[in-house]
Amino acid sequence: PSRRTTPPRTSRVSPELTIGHAPMQVSKILTDAGIEPPRLTAELLLMHALRKERVYLFSHSGDPLPELAWIHYGRYLHERTAGKPVQYITGRQEFFMRDFKVAPGVLIPRPETEHLIELILDLPRPLGRIADAGVGSGAICVTLAAELRQPVIGIDLSPLALEIARHNAATHKAPVQVLQPNWLSALRPASLDLLVSNPPYIALTDKPTLQREVRDHEPELALFAGPDGLDAYRILASQAREVLTPGARIVLAIGSLAARDIFSDWLSIEVRNDLAGRPCLLTALRP
């Protein structure tokens, strides 16, 4: 007779579970492990184990959890309690009402980055030629290309990031052209009307203070920018002068007001705060 394969002991998932009870038990395990939010995480992992959407969990709550899904669920739970972000386990993250593929080695899109999209969509049209520096999964460039229905250039040094960005662009039928220069070095002088970026802005000295999910799993290339966290802004401020037309706009995600000083000689500088009152966006015009 067939034998039921036991998942990792650390997961402690019971093999005799219904689809409705499984996330309840896993929520308790996640809570004990200090992982937030436990219920949502439990449901996302179960959806991935079943290869189903959330509505299936409710419409089939009384069904027994299939053996293969039970095995996968235990493995995913083990990975999550070990610190692996749920997005890297499921391979997806929602951003601006679209589903994006993500993978280890590519920065996970953050909900707060949607404020950058909203700012740009509120700008007067037409916006002209747009580039996104440091695309990661392509969340910004793909969203802008899809929402504005116009081509956007996506730039990243990571081959994996460009591969993922291409996939997401194709999925959402977004006209994105990807390039692999070191920042803006491959762009022609005065060839852009709008430059956007969510660059790395964490100081290397702050690495020990980060959550383990970020510190141990997300790519350092997309997180850290020198001893003070400002190296990427220095590069962008210098190179953007060459590739932007006079009076063209730059829109950047920022982590502190220190980035504003690097653009102090630009025009119409504006810093916007997030809902918690922290600076999150900088916009300025090329002098």
Side-chain angles (χ1 to χ4, degrees), residues 36-243:
E36 298 288 342
R39 179 66 188 220
L40 176 60
T41 301
E43 290 180 355
L44 290 172
L45 296 180
L46 182 57
M47 289 158 54
H48 188 50
L50 290 165
R51 303 300 192 264
K52 300 291 185 180
E53 297 300 322
R54 177 173 276 109
V55 65
Y56 185 89
L57 305 187
F58 301 103
S59 60
H60 292 77
S61 62
D63 293 357
L65 187 62
E67 180 176 356
L68 184 59
W70 172 78
I71 294 169
H72 287 317
Y73 202 26
R75 177 163 60 87
Y76 300 152
L77 176 59
H78 176 68
E79 291 176 336
R80 185 65 192 95
T81 54
K84 189 174 183 178
V86 67
Q87 294 91 340
Y88 287 159
I89 298 172
T90 63
R92 59 194 290 190
Q93 170 64 23
E94 184 178 294
F95 182 84
F96 217 79
M97 297 180 292
R98 291 181 176 86
D99 199 46
F100 280 80
K101 177 181 178 180
V102 296
V106 174
L107 191 72
I108 298 168
R110 268 50 172 186
E112 56 267 26
T113 307
E114 294 186 357
H115 296 312
L116 184 150
I117 302 294
E118 292 166 351
L119 185 156
I120 293 171
L121 295 181
D122 284 341
L123 294 174
R125 312 279 178 89
L127 297 178
R129 298 157 295 180
I130 305 172
D132 171 21
V135 300
S137 66
I140 293 176
C141 61
V142 170
T143 301
L144 289 178
E147 291 289 325
L148 297 170
R149 299 182 181 180
Q150 72 170 78
V152 175
I153 298 170
I155 301 166
D156 207 294
L157 193 60
S158 165
L160 175 61
L162 294 180
E163 178 186 337
I164 298 292
R166 285 192 192 96
H167 173 91
N168 286 323
T171 298
H172 299 296
K173 298 179 174 56
V176 172
Q177 175 192 4
V178 298
L179 301 175
Q180 193 186 5
N182 189 4
W183 290 108
L184 311 179
S185 58
L187 300 180
R188 298 190 311 276
S191 62
L192 290 182
D193 302 296
L194 174 62
L195 176 66
V196 302
S197 182
N198 179 19
Y201 54 70
I202 301 174
L204 282 168
T205 52
D206 290 337
K207 185 175 181 179
T209 69
L210 298 178
Q211 291 180 315
R212 62 173 180 165
E213 287 83 355
V214 176
R215 182 189 63 240
D216 298 341
H217 294 274
E218 296 203 66
E220 293 196 358
L221 183 67
L223 295 173
F224 302 107
D228 61 0
L230 299 174
D231 282 1
Y233 297 114
R234 296 185 181 101
I235 294 170
L236 289 171
S238 173
Q239 295 188 3
R241 286 179 177 272
E242 299 297 321
V243 302

